Amino acid sequence: MNYLICVLQQMLKETRTFTQIMFESYTYLYCFITLSLLPSGFTMLRAFSHTNGRCVFHYTKCWHHRKSVLAIRREDVNAWERRAPLAPKHVKELTKMGYKVLVQPSNRRAIHEKEYVKAGAIIQEDISEASLIIGVKRPPEDKLIPKKNYAFFSHTIKAQEANMPLLDEILRQEIRLFDYEKMVDHKGMRVVAFGKWAGVAGMINILHGLGLRFLALGHHTPFMHIGMAHNYRNSSQAVQAVRDAGYEISLGLMPKSVGPLTFVFTGTGNVSKGAQEMFSALPCEFVEPHELKEVSRSGDLRKVYGTVLSRHHHLVRKRDGQYDPVDYDKHPENYISRFHIDIAPYTTCLINGIYWEQNSPRLLSRQDTQKLLVPVKSAAGAMDGCPELPHRLLAICDISADTGGSIEFMTECTTIDNPFCMYDADQHITHDSVEGSGILMCSIDNLPAQLPIEATEYFGDMLFPYIEEMLLSEGSEPLEKQNYSPVVRNAVIASNGTLTPKYQYIQKLRESREQAESLKMSVEKRVLLLGSGYVSGPVLEYLTRDSNIDITIVSVMKEQLEQLTKKYRNVTPVHMDVLKHEEKLSSLVKKHDLVISLLPYSAHPFVAKKCIDNKVNLVTASYLTPAMKELQESVEAAGITVISEMGLDPGLDHMLAMECIDKAKEVGATVISYTSFCGGLPAPEHSDNPLRYKFSWSPQGVLLNTIINIPPGGALLDSVTPMDFFPGLNLEGFPNRDSTKYAEPYGIQTARTLLRGTLRYKGYSRAMGGFVKLGLINPDPYPLLSSTAPPLTWKELMCKLVGIKSPAEHHVLKEAVFSKLEKDKSQLEAVEWLGLLGDELVPAADSIVGALAKHMEMKLPFGTGERDMIVMRSEIGLRHPSGHLEDKFIDLVVYGDNKGHSAMAKTVGYPTAIAAKMVLDGEITAKGMVIPLTKNVYGPILERVRAEGIMYSTRSIIKQ
């Protein structure tokens, strides 16, 4: 009543007619009576206002017994999240209106706390008194407060699996959730979004990325001077950087060989507009989509070209090739996109701002992209220093960050920390780099966080009109009693412990996905692993990451079995010698989907026959021997896959060679030479014995794969060559018999030189040559060493090998051995160091070389804390169509882990395991004998071994 009297007094002071005063008095009295009739506990907020002599009545309510409290929570899920949902100017308006605003302290927030304090906010940690708690991104589940109103981007409307625990907790705590993403107008357009600033930041980022990609392709461009969006204090600074780059473009400083640059923007919303706004800082010309083809070929290099793509530009009905917008909205499944035919071939950079709806056509599929990435033939007169682009489509900035959406192969977002990756459509793989084959991808899902202050103010302007009605309700009240506007009501995902009717479909989506996952879980894959030696660790470690894979491991080594089954889950041990229990092996093979044999190569034909009989796939790391090749027809008839040569050497050496050879052929180059040397060695500091060697994998395998390949007289060991490509390692190399057999599989019949060999430290070959002279590498059966024969000492065995009567005095035997070694003191030193002239018993074995292998395993193990290393060097000589020559060098150096896997185990085990997983997952479907010489096999494996830390480098030397 006092308020009404004050209002009347004010009107009398103003120039009013009697009629005006009476009308407005009755109006104010009506308002006062209306107030008195409201339910107890309510009052009117901003009930009256004077505008040009008129009274305006606002139906806004609040609790009169306390102020309504709003809280702005701290963003704590992502380190880059520096935004807030409201800026200080919005807080100031709220406090003027009588609301209390709490702001959780945060040093990460881009807008300083003191600005919020100036606006009237209170900085405090405890926000429990707030009725509405707002943020940008989701809060952690343990920070939720029961029965409150929350507003944030929840990312739950597609039943996103990662956020379902959050939704469950919201329902359990009876929280009312407003999701900004679903605040839309009557046309379905979002009214609260950061869209424009996602477009601005995304455009800045991809211009920066293009600078890096062009550089990787051999071109310096003005884009190199544009940084990532977050490197600028504000968008004005970024605009200036883009303008500076544009100025250089306008001066004609873009490399001519890259041709005119074209940018395609999809969508007409705020995202696309924001990107176009930044793009306009360049010297640009917008053209119609149908004009792209012409400008991409003959456009002005002093400008860049842009086009805005709408649905009618690329969508057509399957039956008649027409586009009907009304029909499309009803039946999107009846349409296809011609983007990959009409637009993409003439696009340098795609800026994608559209989301994909189920059943609607995608903008780009993997198959579409494979065709777009076919290398362009070099034009006549092209120079090495001024290369042409490998293909037109260089980059995609997917601002929508809609994984598996309109860009089908964008299955994982990039991050502000690692903003770019390359997508190789041929291999269907991505790698974190701006180099290599494929399309540069940028798909950051929190782009506006890179320009946090402007994004906050922009978003707050859009959100502010709806804050009051969300604030004036209590989360514990029934939803149906709230007088929300349609925009706000339609954004309520959950309330009072249940999903609202509009969003109950989320539970159905979850149930269908869980059912599919349950079905998938029920289809477990069973792997039989034969052998528990050095290499088995990485194989088990890799495969057991997939909880759907059950592994049975078979070995004669009981202690190793026990250790492995304790260390890895889903592993069942079987203590058995597979070569002596044929029926049991066959039974085991039959129960599994795939067999991995880590046994000596001589056992593989035996295992392969069991796989053929039971139609089970097989993977080995060993050479595809003649005995295995004889099974080719049987393998094909059984319809199974048998993969060989999937380790290090053979294995990674093939893959690295073929990657280089295939890329050379793509540009028309001819291979004129190929050499590859590889060796497993102790790290230099642990090469402290006459052989300069220790065993990081099966000694029998080392001897069988190197020593017994040496013909009588050790001719190959006489071909030892110093290897000085790593001078500090003091290496030597010797050839692996006839390497010319790889000319045809590699497709390099034009090569004049083809050599594969083994690396060792200098001195190894000389010492091994002594063993050759003494007959210690004889693989033939030797009954005197069988387990049933009387024990034999090394001294006694050596007497037999050098042809003197046993027992002999030590000095007599030594002199005979020295004579047999042709008076070579270093070879004698190696024999003595190994104790081969002493009284130690020779291990029981089928052959002398087998006994030597067992003995060397005991004498030359890696000690605690010692590590091994792998060194591989491949050199490929190329002749290009222009006539110039190029030498490609591929280096692989891997060290073992002191407390983990050896380098040998990693470089053999991981490729083997990856190949096995590819067979299980249907990535390798070829039947018959397979070795990793095709891109669809070696491509994914090389990518995945890099993820396991097996890194290689390449470099080139161009010769005129």
Side-chain angles (χ1 to χ4, degrees):
M1 181 62 74
N2 289 337
Y3 179 83
L4 289 177
I5 293 171
C6 291
V7 170
L8 288 171
Q9 289 174 342
Q10 179 65 33
M11 286 191 292
L12 290 171
K13 292 179 183 178
E14 299 172 359
T15 305
R16 305 287 180 90
T17 64
F18 177 77
T19 304
Q20 286 176 321
I21 293 174
M22 290 301 296
F23 175 77
E24 293 186 18
S25 298
Y26 279 120
T27 302
Y28 279 113
L29 182 61
Y30 172 78
C31 295
F32 178 77
I33 294 170
T34 303
L35 274 173
S36 65
L37 295 176
L38 286 170
S40 176
F42 282 87
T43 186
M44 299 302 296
L45 179 67
R46 294 190 296 142
F48 317 108
S49 66
H50 252 264
T51 305
N52 298 325
R54 296 180 59 199
C55 172
V56 181
F57 183 28
H58 298 277
Y59 293 92
T60 307
K61 59 185 180 180
C62 70
W63 294 97
H64 69 73
H65 63 271
R66 66 174 177 83
K67 289 182 179 179
S68 292
V69 180
L70 169 73
I72 299 176
R73 66 171 302 275
R74 173 174 53 249
E75 300 297 326
D76 45 16
V77 171
N78 185 289
W80 283 96
E81 192 49 79
R82 299 174 291 158
R83 293 173 289 176
L86 296 176
K89 66 178 183 179
H90 308 115
V91 170
K92 186 175 183 179
E93 287 298 312
L94 288 169
T95 56
K96 281 183 178 179
M97 291 157 55
Y99 295 106
K100 182 178 180 180
V101 179
L102 305 177
V103 177
Q104 274 193 323
S106 172
N107 288 343
R108 183 180 291 146
R109 194 180 292 119
I111 300 177
H112 199 277
E113 289 175 359
K114 68 180 182 181
E115 301 299 325
Y116 284 100
V117 172
K118 285 181 184 178
I122 300 170
I123 307 298
Q124 70 179 48
E125 183 68 29
D126 183 6
I127 56 174
S128 58
E129 66 175 303
S131 59
L132 173 64
I133 300 171
I134 62 174
V136 176
K137 296 293 188 178
R138 52 159 289 171
E141 287 93 328
D142 60 354
K143 298 290 180 66
L144 292 171
I145 303 173
K147 298 186 178 180
K148 297 289 185 182
N149 292 307
Y150 275 85
F152 54 87
F153 287 106
S154 72
H155 301 295
T156 59
I157 59 174
K158 294 182 181 178
Q160 290 96 319
E161 189 172 2
N163 293 321
M164 290 302 96
L166 171 69
L167 183 59
D168 289 338
E169 194 63 20
I170 285 171
L171 294 172
R172 189 184 73 79
Q173 298 198 32
E174 300 183 18
I175 288 168
R176 181 172 297 143
L177 170 61
F178 301 94
D179 194 320
Y180 304 135
E181 192 172 351
K182 298 307 293 181
M183 296 180 74
V184 297
D185 61 18
H186 65 284
K187 295 181 180 179
M189 302 296 291
R190 290 174 61 181
V191 297
V192 179
F194 286 100
K196 173 188 173 182
W197 292 99
V200 170
M203 193 69 221
I204 298 168
N205 292 341
I206 200 61
L207 291 176
H208 168 71
L210 277 171
L212 299 177
R213 180 57 179 158
F214 276 127
L215 190 64
L217 293 172
H219 310 280
H220 170 80
T221 65
F223 299 122
M224 280 299 296
H225 303 300
I226 300 174
M228 289 288 288
H230 59 267
N231 290 332
Y232 300 103
R233 188 178 298 275
N234 52 49
S235 61
S236 297
Q237 288 189 353
V239 167
Q240 188 58 52
V242 175
R243 283 177 180 162
D244 290 345
Y247 177 68
E248 292 187 13
I249 292 173
S250 69
L251 294 177
L253 299 183
M254 280 294 293
K256 292 182 180 179
S257 59
V258 306
L261 303 186
T262 56
F263 293 75
V264 173
F265 300 84
T266 60
T268 56
N270 289 329
V271 169
S272 182
K273 290 176 182 176
Q276 292 173 51
E277 181 180 307
M278 186 57 62
F279 176 73
S280 296
L282 295 170
C284 62
E285 177 184 343
F286 279 90
V287 298
E288 289 298 313
H290 70 270
E291 297 176 297
L292 269 185
K293 182 176 181 179
E294 180 62 28
V295 298
S296 71
R297 293 176 176 174
S298 57
D300 190 343
L301 295 179
R302 294 169 298 177
K303 64 173 73 171
V304 294
Y305 294 89
T307 192
V308 180
L309 198 70
S310 296
R311 288 177 176 176
H312 68 276
H313 290 126
H314 68 103
L315 294 175
V316 295
R317 194 160 39 211
K318 295 175 184 177
R319 60 180 170 84
D320 58 9
Q322 301 298 312
Y323 174 73
D324 180 338
V326 176
D327 181 57
Y328 177 79
D329 286 338
K330 293 179 180 178
H331 304 288
E333 69 279 2
N334 293 337
Y335 286 73
I336 59 171
S337 171
R338 288 184 56 85
F339 177 80
H340 66 288
I341 299 171
D342 299 337
I343 310 295
Y346 318 110
T347 302
T348 305
C349 180
L350 168 64
I351 314 296
N352 184 43
I354 58 174
Y355 285 89
W356 180 70
E357 296 293 338
Q358 195 74 31
N359 298 323
S360 61
R362 299 182 193 273
L363 197 64
L364 272 180
S365 69
R366 177 192 172 194
Q367 288 73 22
D368 297 336
T369 312
Q370 282 179 314
K371 298 174 184 176
L372 293 169
L373 297 190
V374 173
V376 177
K377 291 185 179 179
S378 298
M383 294 180 289
D384 293 336
C386 305
E388 294 186 340
L389 298 179
H391 38 74
R392 169 60 63 179
L393 183 58
L394 289 185
I396 296 176
C397 183
D398 192 358
I399 301 176
S400 74
D402 187 17
T403 55
S406 55
I407 309 295
E408 181 187 26
F409 47 84
M410 201 289 283
T411 57
E412 186 175 355
C413 291
T414 58
T415 65
I416 297 174
D417 294 304
N418 297 291
F420 305 112
C421 67
M422 293 294 297
Y423 173 69
D424 188 329
D426 281 338
Q427 300 176 31
H428 193 42
I429 57 175
T430 59
H431 51 94
D432 296 331
S433 174
V434 295
E435 299 180 347
S437 302
I439 300 174
L440 182 77
M441 300 289 296
C442 181
S443 52
I444 300 169
D445 64 0
N446 58 339
L447 285 166
Q450 293 182 274
L451 296 166
I453 296 177
E454 290 159 297
T456 293
E457 292 176 344
Y458 175 85
F459 185 81
D461 288 344
M462 303 178 81
L463 177 63
F464 183 78
Y466 305 99
I467 284 289
E468 197 172 6
E469 58 181 296
M470 291 191 283
L471 179 58
L472 292 174
S473 66
E474 289 292 325
S476 58
E477 294 178 335
L479 179 62
E480 56 271 16
K481 292 186 178 181
Q482 308 306 311
N483 295 321
Y484 293 140
S485 65
V487 170
V488 173
R489 179 171 292 279
N490 288 335
V492 180
I493 305 292
S495 182
N496 309 106
T498 61
L499 293 169
T500 57
K502 186 177 180 180
Y503 298 100
Q504 287 176 359
Y505 72 85
I506 293 175
Q507 184 59 31
K508 294 179 182 178
L509 279 179
R510 292 181 70 179
E511 289 171 357
S512 62
R513 185 181 64 231
E514 288 167 3
Q515 185 178 5
E517 288 177 354
S518 176
L519 185 62
K520 182 181 176 182
M521 288 290 288
S522 65
V523 185
E524 291 184 339
K525 298 164 185 175
R526 297 158 298 175
V527 174
L528 179 64
L529 178 61
L530 304 179
S532 62
Y534 295 98
V535 175
S536 62
V539 173
L540 289 170
E541 187 264 319
Y542 187 89
L543 292 178
T544 54
R545 295 175 193 172
D546 187 339
S547 58
N548 288 337
I549 296 179
D550 282 332
I551 300 174
T552 302
I553 180 168
V554 182
S555 175
V556 295
M557 309 298 290
K558 191 172 184 180
E559 284 188 16
Q560 289 180 351
L561 280 177
E562 291 173 352
Q563 291 172 0
L564 292 170
T565 51
K566 284 180 182 178
K567 188 172 183 179
Y568 301 105
R569 63 179 184 177
N570 295 345
V571 175
T572 302
V574 175
H575 183 226
M576 180 183 83
D577 185 339
V578 297
L579 300 179
K580 296 179 179 178
H581 295 82
E582 187 173 345
E583 289 185 8
K584 191 169 183 181
L585 173 63
S586 184
S587 176
L588 282 170
V589 169
K590 188 176 183 179
K591 295 176 182 177
H592 292 79
D593 302 302
L594 179 129
V595 176
I596 301 173
S597 178
L598 301 179
L599 301 172
Y601 79 91
S602 57
H604 294 331
F606 173 75
V607 174
K609 290 174 183 176
K610 301 303 174 189
C611 291
I612 292 168
D613 292 342
N614 294 283
K615 293 182 170 54
V616 174
N617 298 319
L618 171 65
V619 176
T620 82
S622 301
Y623 279 105
L624 182 60
T625 61
M628 287 289 286
K629 289 180 180 178
E630 290 177 2
L631 301 174
Q632 171 77 23
E633 290 185 7
S634 299
V635 168
E636 291 176 353
I640 65 172
T641 302
V642 175
I643 299 181
S644 302
E645 307 194 9
M646 197 51 78
L648 167 65
D649 177 7
L652 289 177
D653 56 345
H654 292 331
M655 298 184 234
L656 292 172
M658 291 308 303
E659 182 181 53
C660 181
I661 291 168
D662 284 345
K663 286 182 178 179
K665 289 180 177 179
E666 287 176 2
V667 296
T670 302
V671 177
I672 58 175
S673 65
Y674 171 77
T675 62
S676 180
F677 283 83
C678 179
L681 306 163
E685 66 271 24
H686 305 310
S687 57
D688 52 350
N689 63 67
L691 275 73
R692 286 82 165 165
Y693 193 80
K694 292 182 180 179
F695 291 99
S696 57
W697 67 298
S698 168
Q700 180 92 358
V702 172
L703 297 176
L704 291 175
N705 283 312
T706 58
I707 300 174
I708 66 168
N709 284 332
I710 302 168
L716 291 181
L717 288 178
D718 293 337
S719 303
V720 173
T721 304
M723 295 288 171
D724 58 0
F725 48 83
F726 294 133
L729 292 180
N730 199 25
L731 299 172
E732 65 183 21
F734 54 88
N736 296 343
R737 296 199 113 184
D738 180 16
S739 299
T740 58
K741 64 182 180 181
Y742 286 98
E744 185 175 346
Y746 282 10
I748 55 173
Q749 292 90 337
T750 54
R752 298 191 301 267
T753 302
L754 207 165
L755 177 63
R756 288 161 49 88
T758 299
L759 289 175
R760 293 289 185 261
Y761 290 122
K762 284 183 181 177
Y764 173 88
S765 299
R766 189 169 183 175
M768 296 307 299
F771 298 152
V772 173
K773 294 173 185 177
L774 294 171
L776 287 168
I777 62 167
N778 188 346
D780 296 334
Y782 198 78
L784 291 178
L785 296 180
S786 70
S787 57
T788 57
L792 194 67
T793 66
W794 279 108
K795 181 178 180 180
E796 292 170 333
L797 177 59
M798 291 301 293
C799 286
K800 293 180 181 297
L801 294 177
V802 298
I804 64 174
K805 188 175 180 181
S806 178
E809 294 292 332
H810 182 269
H811 71 277
V812 175
L813 175 59
K814 181 177 178 179
E815 185 60 34
V817 169
F818 192 42
S819 177
K820 190 82 169 178
L821 295 175
E822 300 172 349
K823 306 296 184 180
D824 190 311
K825 291 183 179 180
S826 63
Q827 291 179 341
L828 179 63
E829 180 190 358
V831 170
E832 288 190 295
W833 190 91
L834 283 171
L836 302 183
L837 303 183
D839 295 324
E840 192 173 344
L841 292 176
V842 181
D846 295 330
S847 64
I848 295 176
V849 71
L852 180 63
K854 291 181 180 180
H855 183 72
M856 292 176 77
E857 183 175 20
M858 293 185 289
K859 292 292 184 180
L860 297 170
F862 279 86
T864 303
E866 294 184 343
R867 59 179 183 161
D868 70 328
M869 67 183 297
I870 294 298
V871 179
M872 183 189 294
R873 158 59 71 93
S874 296
E875 299 181 14
I876 302 176
L878 305 175
R879 174 176 281 112
H880 287 270
S882 61
H884 75 267
L885 304 178
E886 178 182 8
D887 285 338
K888 286 275 191 181
F889 301 94
I890 307 170
D891 292 323
L892 171 68
V893 179
V894 181
Y895 282 90
D897 304 322
N898 288 335
K899 297 182 180 180
H901 302 308
S902 68
M904 182 63 73
K906 288 191 288 187
T907 52
V908 175
Y910 283 128
T912 300
I914 292 167
K917 186 76 162 54
M918 290 175 70
V919 174
L920 290 171
D921 293 344
E923 290 184 77
I924 296 176
T925 57
K927 304 303 178 185
M929 297 292 188
V930 176
I931 57 175
L933 300 181
T934 56
K935 195 171 185 178
N936 67 311
V937 175
Y938 71 68
I941 294 176
L942 287 178
E943 177 67 24
R944 292 167 198 178
V945 296
R946 284 196 293 268
E948 303 303 327
I950 300 173
M951 310 300 292
Y952 58 90
S953 62
T954 61
R955 63 185 180 89
S956 294
I957 295 178
I958 306 296
K959 302 176 182 178
Q960 297 299 328

